[in-house]
Amino acid sequence: MISTKKALAAFSISALMMLSAGGAGFAAGSGFTDLGSVQGKEKIESLKDRGLVKGVNGSQFMPGSVLSAAQGVQLISGGLQLSLAAIDFIKAPVASDIFTKVNDDAWYAEAFINAHYNGVNVPADLDPKEPMTKQLFTALLVQGLEKAGNLPLIKLAPTKIADEDQIDPSYQGGIQRSLVYKITALDKDGKFNPESKLTRAEAAVMLYNALEYLKAHGNR
């Protein structure tokens, strides 16, 4: 068996740092000047200081922009530091062997691979260019969090969600656990709004909340 751990680990780090402004949505910047009074501003700035989120061009984060699926998967993989460093392969995996709409040379390809091999069930036919819904991002983030932190299974009394009928059944468990982990919260009407399109700011705040839970309860 040929070990590719070192090469893949190095590639993972470089890929996270070289995201372009036009495609990645998290490209390098010296500071965010467009957060203003955005809810969760301090959390976003904390993630920036830790190198886990970047600006889209120079000092702009564009918090109100809709998160694409590519950006969402990159945020999960990069934020949770998912990698292939501990996995041996006969040959290095390529995205097109797993995903039908991910080009092997795309800036986000390695993030998709890292997520997949770390137990995050990114749909094989997910279109990287499409907006990412709240329910999908939540489900994938919870999966990544639980794998990254080796979290134990928990018993929970399901929270009543006013618009539960709009939630994809396959995402219900992850959404319920996200409420327990305090990654997400219901709105004032008790709704989760599963089909809403996440903004970059909302997704970054969810990542911050996940990392806080991981810090307090993770076993890695």
Side-chain angles (χ1 to χ4, degrees):
M1 176 178 291
I2 300 173
S3 175
T4 61
K5 291 190 292 184
K6 291 184 179 179
L8 288 167
F11 180 58
S12 177
I13 294 171
S14 63
L16 179 60
M17 299 303 295
M18 66 184 288
L19 304 182
S20 67
F26 292 98
S30 59
F32 299 147
T33 60
D34 61 346
L35 293 181
S37 58
V38 170
Q39 186 172 4
K41 173 182 178 179
E42 295 79 9
K43 295 181 178 182
I44 298 170
E45 290 176 336
S46 174
L47 291 175
K48 179 191 75 68
D49 292 341
R50 293 149 67 183
L52 298 178
V53 298
K54 313 288 182 181
V56 295
N57 55 21
S59 61
Q60 291 187 316
F61 182 69
M62 296 183 68
S65 296
V66 173
L67 187 79
S68 70
Q71 293 172 351
V73 174
Q74 174 61 49
L75 187 59
I76 292 169
S77 288
L80 295 174
Q81 298 180 311
L82 305 180
S83 77
L84 307 183
I87 307 174
D88 282 328
F89 295 91
I90 295 176
K91 71 178 185 69
V94 294
S96 59
D97 285 343
I98 307 165
F99 304 101
T100 61
K101 298 178 181 178
V102 177
N103 295 324
D104 294 331
D105 59 352
W107 63 264
Y108 48 79
E110 210 237 340
F112 274 71
I113 292 171
N114 285 346
H116 174 81
Y117 283 104
N118 280 277
V120 181
N121 296 319
V122 180
D125 62 349
L126 183 65
D127 187 340
K129 300 184 297 297
E130 289 297 312
M132 182 165 269
T133 64
K134 183 180 181 181
Q135 65 175 341
L136 177 57
F137 184 78
T138 300
L140 298 183
L141 179 59
V142 167
Q143 290 171 17
L145 169 67
E146 292 172 341
K147 292 293 183 178
N150 193 26
L151 299 181
L153 295 176
I154 60 173
K155 291 184 178 180
L156 54 83
T159 301
K160 181 175 176 56
I161 301 175
D163 54 354
E164 184 176 5
D165 60 330
Q166 299 176 30
I167 296 175
D168 185 313
S170 65
Y171 301 148
Q172 285 182 348
I175 288 171
Q176 285 288 344
R177 297 197 298 281
S178 78
L179 296 171
V180 173
Y181 299 154
K182 300 189 184 305
I183 295 173
T184 60
L186 303 180
D187 68 14
K188 60 183 179 59
D189 298 316
K191 295 182 178 182
F192 184 76
N193 303 301
E195 283 298 311
S196 63
K197 306 301 188 292
L198 276 183
T199 65
R200 288 166 51 83
E202 290 169 337
V205 168
M206 288 172 63
L207 172 62
Y208 178 93
N209 294 342
L211 291 173
E212 286 296 291
Y213 190 88
L214 182 61
K215 181 169 66 176
H217 303 280
N219 296 310
R220 71 174 181 179

